[in-house]
Structures are given as C-alpha cells and as structure tokens.
Amino acid sequence: MTKFISKRLVQMIILFAIFLTILFFLLEAQPGDLSQQYIGNPDIPPEEKARLAARLGLDQPLWGRYTSYMKNFFTGNMGVALSQYPTSVSSLILAALPRTIVLFLSATVLAYYLGFVTGKVLAWRRGKATEYLLTLGGVGLYTIFYPWFALLMIWFFGFTVAGWVGFTVFPINKFIDAPEWTGSPFTTNEVFMRMILVATLALFVASVITLVARKRLELPQAIRVRNWSFLAAVIFPFVYFWISPMRKYAGDIFHHTILPVGTLTLVAFAGIMLLTRSSMLETLREDYILTARAKGLPEKAIRDRHAARNALLPVVTSLVLALAFVIGGGIITETVFSWPGIGLLLFQAVLLEDIPLAMGTLSIIAVLALLGHLIADIIYVYLDPRIRYQ
C-alpha cells in the first residue's frame, strides 16, 4: 500500500503540473484583463502605465510569465490578487477555504450517510408504499434545477416560515450577522477555526475508540460502541461551546450554516439514495446472498454485512466523481447564499478578470479533487478484500 500511495502521489504531482499549464494558457488566451481598466485609461500618463504593467509582470513575454508563475506557485507564492491589490492570493484562499470545506464536507457526509441508509432500507423492503413515495421524491429532488430550488428554500424558510412563527428561523444569506459581532473580542476566523478544531478532535477520538472496539470486542458490541462514540462526538462540540465565552458567536455561525447545508444535503441525498437502492437490488440477486440465506444467517446480517458492503462500492465511486462537481456547484450555492467561500471568490475573480486569483482558486479545487481520488482508492481496499494494489 505504501508503494502504491507513493506512486500515486508522484502521478498526482505530474498531473497537477499539466493541469496548471493548461489552465495558465487558457486564462491567458481570454481577451482583456483587469490591468486594461487602468492601462487603457487615457487619464493615466504613459510612464505610469508602463510602471504599472512592469509591477504586475505584464511587460514580460508569455513564456516568461508562465515560467515565473510555475516557479512562484511551487514555492508557495501564488501572487497578488489584482482585484484586491495588494492582498496576496494565498491569504484570500486561506480565509475562504475552511468555510468552503466545512460547508461541502458537512453536506456531503450528511447526504451520503442518509442516502446510503435510506437506499439500503428501500431496496430491502421493496414493494412497500414508502419505497414508491421516497423514490418519487428522490427523482424529483435529483432532477430539480438547483438555483431555483435554493431560492425556493430561501423564500420558504426566510419569509414564509418566519411569517408564520413571527421570527427568523434561518438567516437567508451571509456567514454571520454583523451587528451581533459589534464589540466582539474574537474575530470570525478565530471562532470558526475553534469550531473546526473541536469538531475534528471529537471525531478523531470517536474514530480511535471505534477502531479499538473493532479489534477487541465482538461485532455487536463494537457496533454499539461505534454508534455511542459518534453520537458523543456530535454532542460534544455543542456542550463545549455552550460553556465557552464564544457561545454567542459560534451559535451565530452555526445558525447561518444550517440553510445552505440543508439545501445541498437534500439535493445530494436524493441521488445517493437512488444509486444505493439500485446497487442493492443488483447485489441482492448475487449467489452469495442466496448462500447466506441458505446458511440461516439473520436477515439484518445479510443486509448489512453482505449486501450493503458490496453495494457501497459504486456509491464511493460516485463520491469521488462528485468532488469536482460539488465545488462547481459551490459557485452557485455560495453566490445564492452569499457564503464567503472559494466558489464565491472564484466567481468574483472571473467577473473582474483577476487571473492570479482565478488560477489560485481553480488550483485548490484541482488539489481537492486529486486528494479525493486518492482517498477513494484507499477506501476501496478496506471495502472489498479482492482489491489489492501493487
């Protein structure tokens, strides 16, 4: 496995360099750039135009700009955002990236967990009324036009439900409510990073406890330990921030997160539920399922240990393929909900023809997609014992 991971990392670096090269020349091929707004201005003296062009590196030939960019990028220098001069691209990405990762990771984990469990049960109880209702609802959500659905969610929860109950149930946009932070001793990034740290530590401890339980306990006991551990990991951050001086500010961020995460989860959940149901129905026709039944194994064991585990493989594949598209969909989500993440940053960079910022954000998306493929390959080994990498 170590040899395989090393080879994949080398392949990923080469592929990433090719991606950067193609991306650079594609963006350079588009007409105009931000500098034309200033260099083309007749009110600016020619010597100032020349100095500005030299400062932005626009006086170099194309090949010179390419070699300089690649060298700077791989030494950690992504350049300066032309639209937010003199802020560096890396500092803008570092501020936006955690918000995007939390938004999409939360929605993806929730969608895949709920979709897999629901699809598994639907296939097992085929022919019931609930199967028809959930399948019909799933097809509707899977084929829905996402921007319209996001606006519908904003209208329903932001205005209709608020009119019924007399107060705002969910904020309709933004990352925080600015008046709530007036005089705050903490910055938004401090609170948000603390939230990520606490949640990550809780999940890490739960994972360690689960692994130890799987090695030392019988399967039914290990499953109970796993369920209680992850339940405690979900509850712990709420308890921590309830007694923390950051409670008010962490609650504000969490409140603003619910609606975009819920909207993304609903759309992604439908596709996973339908895929799992289809995969489970195919798996249930296999000979080894008939053999397991002939051996007298409990129905729950056949469903969870034999059928669902094999049905999970195409679901994991879809997760990997979805990673690249989920960030693309993130541009829509973050724009509709005014969520200050990578998607909104990329959208603004493209609108303002800010090539360094656009390249930086697209590069981060490429890195996330490559890492997602690597993680999926590793997960395959644990899901299917027949798979071995040399």
Side-chain angles (χ1 to χ4, degrees), residues 181-200:
W181 290 73
T182 304
S184 167
F186 311 104
T187 65
T188 54
N189 279 342
E190 284 175 350
V191 177
F192 194 55
M193 294 309 291
R194 179 73 66 85
M195 292 171 71
I196 294 174
L197 180 64
V198 172
T200 304

PDB file of all heavy atoms in Angstrom, residues 181-200:
ATOM      1  N   TRP A 181     -21.752  40.895  16.129  1.00  0.00           N
ATOM      2  CA  TRP A 181     -20.308  40.823  16.384  1.00  0.00           C
ATOM      3  C   TRP A 181     -19.720  42.178  16.775  1.00  0.00           C
ATOM      4  O   TRP A 181     -18.505  42.293  16.935  1.00  0.00           O
ATOM      5  CB  TRP A 181     -19.603  40.290  15.130  1.00  0.00           C
ATOM      6  CG  TRP A 181     -19.890  38.842  14.884  1.00  0.00           C
ATOM      7  CD1 TRP A 181     -21.061  38.309  14.442  1.00  0.00           C
ATOM      8  CD2 TRP A 181     -19.002  37.740  15.075  1.00  0.00           C
ATOM      9  NE1 TRP A 181     -20.963  36.942  14.344  1.00  0.00           N
ATOM     10  CE2 TRP A 181     -19.700  36.578  14.725  1.00  0.00           C
ATOM     11  CE3 TRP A 181     -17.681  37.627  15.504  1.00  0.00           C
ATOM     12  CZ2 TRP A 181     -19.124  35.307  14.795  1.00  0.00           C
ATOM     13  CZ3 TRP A 181     -17.100  36.374  15.569  1.00  0.00           C
ATOM     14  CH2 TRP A 181     -17.822  35.231  15.218  1.00  0.00           C
ATOM     15  N   THR A 182     -20.560  43.191  16.916  1.00  0.00           N
ATOM     16  CA  THR A 182     -20.047  44.514  17.308  1.00  0.00           C
ATOM     17  C   THR A 182     -19.447  44.441  18.713  1.00  0.00           C
ATOM     18  O   THR A 182     -20.109  44.029  19.670  1.00  0.00           O
ATOM     19  CB  THR A 182     -21.191  45.549  17.276  1.00  0.00           C
ATOM     20  OG1 THR A 182     -21.786  45.543  15.974  1.00  0.00           O
ATOM     21  CG2 THR A 182     -20.661  46.932  17.600  1.00  0.00           C
ATOM     22  N   GLY A 183     -18.192  44.808  18.840  1.00  0.00           N
ATOM     23  CA  GLY A 183     -17.512  44.748  20.133  1.00  0.00           C
ATOM     24  C   GLY A 183     -17.048  43.375  20.536  1.00  0.00           C
ATOM     25  O   GLY A 183     -16.647  43.160  21.692  1.00  0.00           O
ATOM     26  N   SER A 184     -17.078  42.430  19.601  1.00  0.00           N
ATOM     27  CA  SER A 184     -16.671  41.065  19.933  1.00  0.00           C
ATOM     28  C   SER A 184     -15.165  40.993  20.209  1.00  0.00           C
ATOM     29  O   SER A 184     -14.360  41.592  19.484  1.00  0.00           O
ATOM     30  CB  SER A 184     -17.022  40.126  18.767  1.00  0.00           C
ATOM     31  OG  SER A 184     -16.375  38.881  18.938  1.00  0.00           O
ATOM     32  N   PRO A 185     -14.736  40.260  21.248  1.00  0.00           N
ATOM     33  CA  PRO A 185     -13.297  40.100  21.496  1.00  0.00           C
ATOM     34  C   PRO A 185     -12.652  39.089  20.547  1.00  0.00           C
ATOM     35  O   PRO A 185     -11.439  38.890  20.585  1.00  0.00           O
ATOM     36  CB  PRO A 185     -13.243  39.600  22.938  1.00  0.00           C
ATOM     37  CG  PRO A 185     -14.547  38.909  23.140  1.00  0.00           C
ATOM     38  CD  PRO A 185     -15.548  39.620  22.282  1.00  0.00           C
ATOM     39  N   PHE A 186     -13.462  38.423  19.737  1.00  0.00           N
ATOM     40  CA  PHE A 186     -12.948  37.391  18.823  1.00  0.00           C
ATOM     41  C   PHE A 186     -13.233  37.791  17.376  1.00  0.00           C
ATOM     42  O   PHE A 186     -14.234  38.445  17.093  1.00  0.00           O
ATOM     43  CB  PHE A 186     -13.603  36.030  19.087  1.00  0.00           C
ATOM     44  CG  PHE A 186     -13.602  35.616  20.526  1.00  0.00           C
ATOM     45  CD1 PHE A 186     -14.758  35.697  21.292  1.00  0.00           C
ATOM     46  CD2 PHE A 186     -12.433  35.152  21.120  1.00  0.00           C
ATOM     47  CE1 PHE A 186     -14.754  35.328  22.621  1.00  0.00           C
ATOM     48  CE2 PHE A 186     -12.428  34.774  22.444  1.00  0.00           C
ATOM     49  CZ  PHE A 186     -13.592  34.856  23.205  1.00  0.00           C
ATOM     50  N   THR A 187     -12.349  37.344  16.490  1.00  0.00           N
ATOM     51  CA  THR A 187     -12.616  37.510  15.063  1.00  0.00           C
ATOM     52  C   THR A 187     -13.420  36.309  14.575  1.00  0.00           C
ATOM     53  O   THR A 187     -13.473  35.260  15.240  1.00  0.00           O
ATOM     54  CB  THR A 187     -11.310  37.606  14.262  1.00  0.00           C
ATOM     55  OG1 THR A 187     -10.617  36.352  14.366  1.00  0.00           O
ATOM     56  CG2 THR A 187     -10.419  38.715  14.786  1.00  0.00           C
ATOM     57  N   THR A 188     -14.037  36.467  13.409  1.00  0.00           N
ATOM     58  CA  THR A 188     -14.833  35.348  12.866  1.00  0.00           C
ATOM     59  C   THR A 188     -13.957  34.133  12.582  1.00  0.00           C
ATOM     60  O   THR A 188     -14.361  32.992  12.827  1.00  0.00           O
ATOM     61  CB  THR A 188     -15.526  35.774  11.565  1.00  0.00           C
ATOM     62  OG1 THR A 188     -14.545  36.287  10.662  1.00  0.00           O
ATOM     63  CG2 THR A 188     -16.568  36.822  11.820  1.00  0.00           C
ATOM     64  N   ASN A 189     -12.741  34.384  12.082  1.00  0.00           N
ATOM     65  CA  ASN A 189     -11.855  33.251  11.785  1.00  0.00           C
ATOM     66  C   ASN A 189     -11.421  32.526  13.051  1.00  0.00           C
ATOM     67  O   ASN A 189     -11.272  31.311  13.061  1.00  0.00           O
ATOM     68  CB  ASN A 189     -10.632  33.730  11.006  1.00  0.00           C
ATOM     69  CG  ASN A 189     -10.929  33.898   9.535  1.00  0.00           C
ATOM     70  OD1 ASN A 189     -11.917  33.362   9.030  1.00  0.00           O
ATOM     71  ND2 ASN A 189     -10.109  34.661   8.845  1.00  0.00           N
ATOM     72  N   GLU A 190     -11.198  33.286  14.142  1.00  0.00           N
ATOM     73  CA  GLU A 190     -10.812  32.635  15.407  1.00  0.00           C
ATOM     74  C   GLU A 190     -11.909  31.688  15.885  1.00  0.00           C
ATOM     75  O   GLU A 190     -11.652  30.549  16.270  1.00  0.00           O
ATOM     76  CB  GLU A 190     -10.537  33.698  16.472  1.00  0.00           C
ATOM     77  CG  GLU A 190      -9.209  34.421  16.312  1.00  0.00           C
ATOM     78  CD  GLU A 190      -9.043  35.549  17.319  1.00  0.00           C
ATOM     79  OE1 GLU A 190     -10.029  35.898  18.007  1.00  0.00           O
ATOM     80  OE2 GLU A 190      -7.938  36.091  17.400  1.00  0.00           O
ATOM     81  N   VAL A 191     -13.148  32.175  15.862  1.00  0.00           N
ATOM     82  CA  VAL A 191     -14.263  31.341  16.326  1.00  0.00           C
ATOM     83  C   VAL A 191     -14.476  30.163  15.393  1.00  0.00           C
ATOM     84  O   VAL A 191     -14.662  29.015  15.835  1.00  0.00           O
ATOM     85  CB  VAL A 191     -15.551  32.199  16.426  1.00  0.00           C
ATOM     86  CG1 VAL A 191     -16.728  31.336  16.839  1.00  0.00           C
ATOM     87  CG2 VAL A 191     -15.353  33.337  17.405  1.00  0.00           C
ATOM     88  N   PHE A 192     -14.428  30.436  14.088  1.00  0.00           N
ATOM     89  CA  PHE A 192     -14.691  29.369  13.120  1.00  0.00           C
ATOM     90  C   PHE A 192     -13.613  28.284  13.181  1.00  0.00           C
ATOM     91  O   PHE A 192     -13.923  27.082  13.136  1.00  0.00           O
ATOM     92  CB  PHE A 192     -14.755  29.971  11.717  1.00  0.00           C
ATOM     93  CG  PHE A 192     -15.334  29.052  10.685  1.00  0.00           C
ATOM     94  CD1 PHE A 192     -16.581  28.490  10.854  1.00  0.00           C
ATOM     95  CD2 PHE A 192     -14.619  28.736   9.545  1.00  0.00           C
ATOM     96  CE1 PHE A 192     -17.119  27.642   9.912  1.00  0.00           C
ATOM     97  CE2 PHE A 192     -15.143  27.884   8.598  1.00  0.00           C
ATOM     98  CZ  PHE A 192     -16.391  27.342   8.781  1.00  0.00           C
ATOM     99  N   MET A 193     -12.360  28.695  13.290  1.00  0.00           N
ATOM    100  CA  MET A 193     -11.288  27.701  13.372  1.00  0.00           C
ATOM    101  C   MET A 193     -11.382  26.898  14.670  1.00  0.00           C
ATOM    102  O   MET A 193     -11.065  25.715  14.702  1.00  0.00           O
ATOM    103  CB  MET A 193      -9.924  28.379  13.265  1.00  0.00           C
ATOM    104  CG  MET A 193      -9.644  29.020  11.906  1.00  0.00           C
ATOM    105  SD  MET A 193      -9.921  27.931  10.504  1.00  0.00           S
ATOM    106  CE  MET A 193      -8.596  26.762  10.729  1.00  0.00           C
ATOM    107  N   ARG A 194     -11.819  27.549  15.765  1.00  0.00           N
ATOM    108  CA  ARG A 194     -12.014  26.805  17.010  1.00  0.00           C
ATOM    109  C   ARG A 194     -13.135  25.773  16.851  1.00  0.00           C
ATOM    110  O   ARG A 194     -13.029  24.647  17.348  1.00  0.00           O
ATOM    111  CB  ARG A 194     -12.364  27.784  18.136  1.00  0.00           C
ATOM    112  CG  ARG A 194     -12.611  27.127  19.494  1.00  0.00           C
ATOM    113  CD  ARG A 194     -11.332  26.635  20.131  1.00  0.00           C
ATOM    114  NE  ARG A 194     -10.481  27.752  20.474  1.00  0.00           N
ATOM    115  CZ  ARG A 194     -10.556  28.460  21.609  1.00  0.00           C
ATOM    116  NH1 ARG A 194     -11.454  28.117  22.520  1.00  0.00           N
ATOM    117  NH2 ARG A 194      -9.735  29.463  21.833  1.00  0.00           N
ATOM    118  N   MET A 195     -14.187  26.143  16.129  1.00  0.00           N
ATOM    119  CA  MET A 195     -15.279  25.194  15.882  1.00  0.00           C
ATOM    120  C   MET A 195     -14.771  23.987  15.087  1.00  0.00           C
ATOM    121  O   MET A 195     -15.106  22.831  15.398  1.00  0.00           O
ATOM    122  CB  MET A 195     -16.401  25.900  15.108  1.00  0.00           C
ATOM    123  CG  MET A 195     -17.131  26.963  15.904  1.00  0.00           C
ATOM    124  SD  MET A 195     -18.266  27.945  14.892  1.00  0.00           S
ATOM    125  CE  MET A 195     -19.551  26.748  14.574  1.00  0.00           C
ATOM    126  N   ILE A 196     -13.961  24.262  14.069  1.00  0.00           N
ATOM    127  CA  ILE A 196     -13.422  23.158  13.260  1.00  0.00           C
ATOM    128  C   ILE A 196     -12.517  22.268  14.099  1.00  0.00           C
ATOM    129  O   ILE A 196     -12.580  21.032  14.033  1.00  0.00           O
ATOM    130  CB  ILE A 196     -12.642  23.730  12.052  1.00  0.00           C
ATOM    131  CG1 ILE A 196     -13.590  24.453  11.099  1.00  0.00           C
ATOM    132  CG2 ILE A 196     -11.905  22.631  11.303  1.00  0.00           C
ATOM    133  CD1 ILE A 196     -12.888  25.162   9.957  1.00  0.00           C
ATOM    134  N   LEU A 197     -11.666  22.896  14.934  1.00  0.00           N
ATOM    135  CA  LEU A 197     -10.726  22.128  15.756  1.00  0.00           C
ATOM    136  C   LEU A 197     -11.453  21.216  16.741  1.00  0.00           C
ATOM    137  O   LEU A 197     -11.127  20.024  16.864  1.00  0.00           O
ATOM    138  CB  LEU A 197      -9.805  23.100  16.509  1.00  0.00           C
ATOM    139  CG  LEU A 197      -8.763  22.464  17.418  1.00  0.00           C
ATOM    140  CD1 LEU A 197      -7.766  21.649  16.597  1.00  0.00           C
ATOM    141  CD2 LEU A 197      -8.016  23.535  18.215  1.00  0.00           C
ATOM    142  N   VAL A 198     -12.457  21.766  17.427  1.00  0.00           N
ATOM    143  CA  VAL A 198     -13.193  20.970  18.419  1.00  0.00           C
ATOM    144  C   VAL A 198     -13.929  19.812  17.747  1.00  0.00           C
ATOM    145  O   VAL A 198     -13.885  18.666  18.229  1.00  0.00           O
ATOM    146  CB  VAL A 198     -14.180  21.880  19.188  1.00  0.00           C
ATOM    147  CG1 VAL A 198     -15.089  21.044  20.078  1.00  0.00           C
ATOM    148  CG2 VAL A 198     -13.413  22.896  20.024  1.00  0.00           C
ATOM    149  N   ALA A 199     -14.587  20.094  16.626  1.00  0.00           N
ATOM    150  CA  ALA A 199     -15.320  19.032  15.924  1.00  0.00           C
ATOM    151  C   ALA A 199     -14.365  17.964  15.391  1.00  0.00           C
ATOM    152  O   ALA A 199     -14.652  16.759  15.479  1.00  0.00           O
ATOM    153  CB  ALA A 199     -16.124  19.641  14.767  1.00  0.00           C
ATOM    154  N   THR A 200     -13.215  18.384  14.867  1.00  0.00           N
ATOM    155  CA  THR A 200     -12.250  17.411  14.332  1.00  0.00           C
ATOM    156  C   THR A 200     -11.685  16.529  15.440  1.00  0.00           C
ATOM    157  O   THR A 200     -11.555  15.304  15.275  1.00  0.00           O
ATOM    158  CB  THR A 200     -11.096  18.159  13.629  1.00  0.00           C
ATOM    159  OG1 THR A 200     -11.643  19.014  12.630  1.00  0.00           O
ATOM    160  CG2 THR A 200     -10.139  17.187  12.977  1.00  0.00           C
TER     161      THR A 200
END
